[in-house]
């Protein structure tokens, strides 16, 4: 099953996708949040190109695991997107994914300016990979 991750921010949304087997996550794009929310043509094109069966949206939690006002905003945004594009939505803990994405991009030699357009999609791929890795494998389910 192919899964799409959304790292939802106020301005931008990072998009990542899994392979068809649902084992490996890869960054795809960063889109304006308003276009994702309204399921505009650019986001619709990404959905059409990758044909995901499920959305995994990053949920910002505090280090203690609590959900605050930002998590509530993200839940509402994700549910709007889920309804408008007709895909089920689940949530994944995204704590520290942006920090880890920046660390990874810095290690590749990118400057802060060069990172700006990439952090959100790399963060989405990081929490998607963690979500994929946490699911039981086919053998474990039997």
């Amino acid at each position: 099953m192919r899964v799409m991750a959304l790292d939802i921010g106020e301005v931008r949304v990072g998009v990542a996708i899994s392979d068809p087997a649902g084992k490996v996550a890869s960054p795809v794009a960063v889109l304006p949040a308003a276009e994702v929310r309204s399921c505009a043509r650019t986001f619709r094109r990404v959905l059409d190109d990758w044909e995901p069966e499920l959305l995994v949206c990053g949920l910002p939690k505090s280090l203690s695991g609590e959900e605050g006002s930002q998590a509530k905003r993200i839940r509402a945004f994700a549910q709007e997107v889920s309804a408008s594009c007709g895909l089920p939505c689940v949530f994944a803990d995204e704590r520290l994914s942006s920090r880890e994405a920046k660390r990874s991009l810095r290690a590749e030699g990118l400057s802060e300016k060069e990172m700006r357009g990439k952090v959100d999609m790399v963060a989405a791929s990081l929490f998607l990979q963690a979500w994929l890795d946490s699911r039981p494998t086919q053998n474990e389910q039997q």
Side-chain angles (χ1 to χ4, degrees):
M1 165 173 63
R2 193 180 291 269
V3 181
M4 180 175 283
L6 302 177
D7 182 18
I8 301 168
E10 291 188 32
V11 178
R12 293 177 301 277
V13 174
V15 180
I17 195 78
S18 75
D19 65 318
K23 298 205 179 291
V24 179
S26 300
V28 171
V30 176
L31 300 171
E35 291 181 15
V36 174
R37 173 173 261 157
S38 66
C39 214
R41 188 172 358 133
T42 52
F43 183 54
R44 178 62 61 193
R45 188 176 303 130
V46 172
L47 291 171
D48 290 345
D49 286 350
W50 294 101
E51 299 179 335
E53 297 175 47
L54 176 70
L55 296 175
V56 174
C57 298
L59 194 62
K61 294 182 177 182
S62 69
L63 291 177
S64 65
E66 305 277 320
E67 289 186 24
S69 60
Q70 187 178 9
K72 186 182 285 189
R73 183 185 65 75
I74 297 296
R75 280 187 183 278
F77 185 112
Q79 288 163 348
E80 275 184 57
V81 173
S82 173
S84 69
C85 66
L87 288 171
C89 172
V90 297
F91 295 92
D93 187 352
E94 69 163 28
R95 277 182 282 188
L96 306 176
S97 62
S98 292
R99 183 176 295 162
E100 183 59 35
K102 284 183 180 180
R103 186 177 308 135
S104 172
L105 291 169
R106 248 187 239 110
E108 290 180 21
L110 274 67
S111 68
E112 288 292 323
K113 187 175 181 180
E114 292 168 322
M115 277 192 260
R116 198 169 297 134
K118 296 178 174 61
V119 171
D120 300 311
M121 67 179 176
V122 172
S125 71
L126 291 171
F127 70 73
L128 176 57
Q129 189 64 58
W131 184 86
L132 293 170
D133 293 345
S134 72
R135 296 183 319 154
T137 63
Q138 233 14 38
N139 293 337
E140 291 172 353
Q141 292 175 351
Q142 296 173 353

